[in-house]
Amino acid sequence: MQSDKEGRAFVLVHGAGHGGWMWRKVRDQLHAKGHRVFTPTLTGLGERSHLMSGDITLQTHIDDVVNVFKWEDLTDAVLVGHSYAGWVVTGAMEQLEDRVSGLVYLDAFLPDDGQRGMDFLNEQQTAAFEEAQAKGEVSRPGPNSKALRIQSEEDAAWVDSKITQQPIGVSLQALELTGARDRVARKLYVRAPLFPQPRFDAALERCEADDSWDTIVMENCGHDPMIDDPDAVVTMLEAML
């Protein structure tokens, strides 16, 4: 069934340890509504986990997203970053300002100029990061369904079967920003509070206090709303058009 809205392009970027697979339910619905949907898997994760290396940096993942826009000739698109991908889409906006008309942070980090992921890791993530470094490893474990607060047992088993390692190099590079993100006309921050993360709570509060942002709180979802409630995510994304 075609949507009453003109088909547009969506680029959906996954979080740590995930891959393009996580958007399957949302992607299929948006496709059915006549939209173009791209769900790139970042280098070293998901079906690209065979490319894991110590050379992967935040810039690698930024390039992954920018290149989708470049090779697919995307303009007037909605760009969505989930969790860790808040870093990625923020950096990508520096090259995509004239191609993105809507920007969504889905339970995601909202970093500023000069910040790096390492400074935002929680205690457990920091310990895993430091252990990996001490062993000379290039990645740390991704999250599991329990930590993500996946709501159904079936979905939890599926997620656990797909999660891969997260490259640690992405957390070492500081962002260099000129404010491209802040100049996007439509910006939305979405919080899923069943997942405890003070950084996301602070980001929500910050956006609620800024008239240039819209905010939504998804009370009944864990950290992966595209899995727990894909229908609501599709409705929310189409509202960005």
Side-chain angles (χ1 to χ4, degrees):
M1 181 176 67
Q2 291 292 310
S3 169
D4 58 355
K5 295 178 182 292
E6 182 182 354
R8 291 270 290 283
F10 292 87
V11 180
L12 315 177
V13 188
H14 63 83
H18 290 66
W21 55 266
M22 71 179 297
W23 299 102
R24 184 180 303 169
K25 298 175 183 179
V26 168
R27 179 190 64 211
D28 290 351
Q29 286 196 42
L30 288 173
H31 273 158
K33 290 171 176 287
H35 302 295
R36 299 176 70 197
V37 187
F38 302 86
T39 57
T41 291
L42 302 173
T43 302
L45 291 96
E47 76 274 15
R48 305 182 70 207
S49 55
H50 61 289
L51 299 176
M52 178 66 75
S53 81
D55 295 328
I56 298 171
T57 66
L58 178 58
Q59 188 61 49
T60 309
H61 287 171
I62 290 171
D63 291 343
D64 286 337
V65 173
V66 170
N67 282 343
V68 173
F69 281 78
K70 181 177 178 180
W71 265 266
E72 296 290 348
D73 298 315
L74 302 183
T75 58
D76 196 24
V78 176
L79 176 59
V80 183
H82 171 249
S83 193
Y84 154 72
W87 292 90
V88 179
V89 300
T90 298
M93 280 307 306
E94 294 295 312
Q95 300 177 62
L96 298 175
E97 187 173 354
D98 62 342
R99 293 174 176 260
V100 172
S101 57
L103 186 58
V104 180
Y105 286 73
L106 184 57
D107 220 31
F109 290 101
L110 189 67
D112 292 314
D113 183 50
Q115 294 181 326
R116 59 179 190 152
M118 179 63 190
D119 303 324
F120 280 45
L121 299 180
N122 62 33
E123 185 176 342
Q124 181 180 4
Q125 291 168 333
T126 299
F129 184 97
E130 292 175 346
E131 181 180 357
Q133 277 193 316
K135 293 180 178 179
E137 297 174 348
V138 299
S139 63
R140 62 177 175 85
N144 59 37
S145 61
K146 182 178 180 180
L148 294 168
R149 306 297 201 272
I150 301 295
Q151 295 300 289
S152 85
E153 290 186 6
E154 181 180 359
D155 286 337
W158 179 61
V159 169
D160 283 334
S161 75
K162 300 290 188 184
I163 292 292
T164 54
Q165 296 279 115
Q166 173 76 357
I168 64 174
V170 301
S171 299
L172 297 173
Q173 179 185 342
L175 281 170
E176 297 181 12
L177 306 178
T178 65
R181 171 189 66 196
D182 302 320
R183 293 188 290 268
V184 176
R186 299 207 63 186
K187 301 185 292 294
L188 172 65
Y189 190 89
V190 182
R191 179 71 177 106
L194 290 181
F195 178 74
Q197 173 46 275
R199 297 280 188 178
F200 298 169
D201 295 333
L204 174 65
E205 184 175 352
R206 170 180 167 184
C207 293
E208 286 176 333
D210 186 336
D211 290 340
S212 71
W213 285 83
D214 292 320
T215 60
I216 293 175
V217 177
M218 301 184 74
E219 298 283 359
N220 299 316
C221 290
H223 186 43
D224 290 2
M226 71 295 294
I227 293 172
D228 286 337
D229 195 350
D231 294 352
V233 172
V234 169
T235 298
M236 177 181 70
L237 293 182
E238 281 210 297
M240 294 294 293
L241 302 179

